[in-house]
Amino acid sequence: MSYFFPPILIVLGLVIYQVSQKSTDQNANPFVVVIMAYLIGIVACIGGYFLIPRQDDALVPMMRTVVWSALGIGLGAAAIEIGFMVAYRAGWNLSLLPVAVNVCGAVLLILIGLIAFRESLSTEKIIGVLLCIGGLILITLRK
């Protein structure tokens, strides 16, 4: 796969995801909607598993090595799904919510990267983060 395919896939998925979240029936139980979405996602992932050349020959041993990661991904994904749906129902705008939560998440991940993974942060990146935080403040100000 090309270098640019994954980010393009993420952007397309993000747009479909956010528009679908915002368009969900307000009266629908958010947990039922997420269960349905995950069932569809599971079918898509099973299809992808058979379409993309596999690097692992032994599925069960591989699954044992990723159980904790999968647990975190699953719980994090469920929190994201329910959080977005409830936020849209509370009145957040489609044009604002994803930006706000992604900037906040990025700042937290930078701190986690620095502390837990010993990643470095250049002056340019620090300036970029400060600009993002400034932008977040500007776009969330209410008149």
Side-chain angles (χ1 to χ4, degrees):
M1 289 192 200
S2 77
Y3 180 77
F4 292 105
F5 176 74
I8 291 168
L9 181 63
I10 292 167
V11 170
L12 290 174
L14 178 75
V15 170
I16 292 167
Y17 170 86
Q18 292 297 340
V19 170
S20 298
Q21 278 277 23
K22 181 71 174 173
S23 303
T24 300
D25 181 359
Q26 295 281 322
N27 298 317
N29 182 315
F31 292 97
V32 172
V33 175
V34 171
I35 290 168
M36 291 173 62
Y38 278 26
L39 289 173
I40 293 165
I42 288 169
V43 170
C45 287
I46 290 171
Y49 176 78
F50 290 106
L51 288 175
I52 295 174
R54 293 182 287 283
Q55 297 173 354
D56 52 83
D57 292 327
L59 181 61
V60 174
M62 183 272 308
M63 290 175 69
R64 287 188 188 123
T65 66
V66 297
V67 72
W68 291 109
S69 297
L71 177 65
I73 292 167
L75 292 174
I80 291 167
E81 308 291 353
I82 299 301
F84 270 114
M85 196 171 302
V86 172
Y88 284 132
R89 290 179 181 187
W92 279 82
N93 293 328
L94 180 65
S95 60
L96 176 61
L97 180 63
V99 174
V101 298
N102 280 311
V103 169
C104 292
V107 169
L108 290 173
L109 289 172
I110 288 169
L111 294 173
I112 292 168
L114 291 170
I115 295 166
F117 296 98
R118 293 187 173 94
E119 296 174 353
S120 62
L121 202 57
S122 67
T123 303
E124 294 86 2
K125 289 180 183 177
I126 293 170
I127 292 169
V129 169
L130 294 174
L131 288 171
C132 287
I133 294 170
L136 177 62
I137 292 168
L138 289 174
I139 63 172
T140 56
L141 288 176
R142 293 201 171 175
K143 292 180 182 181

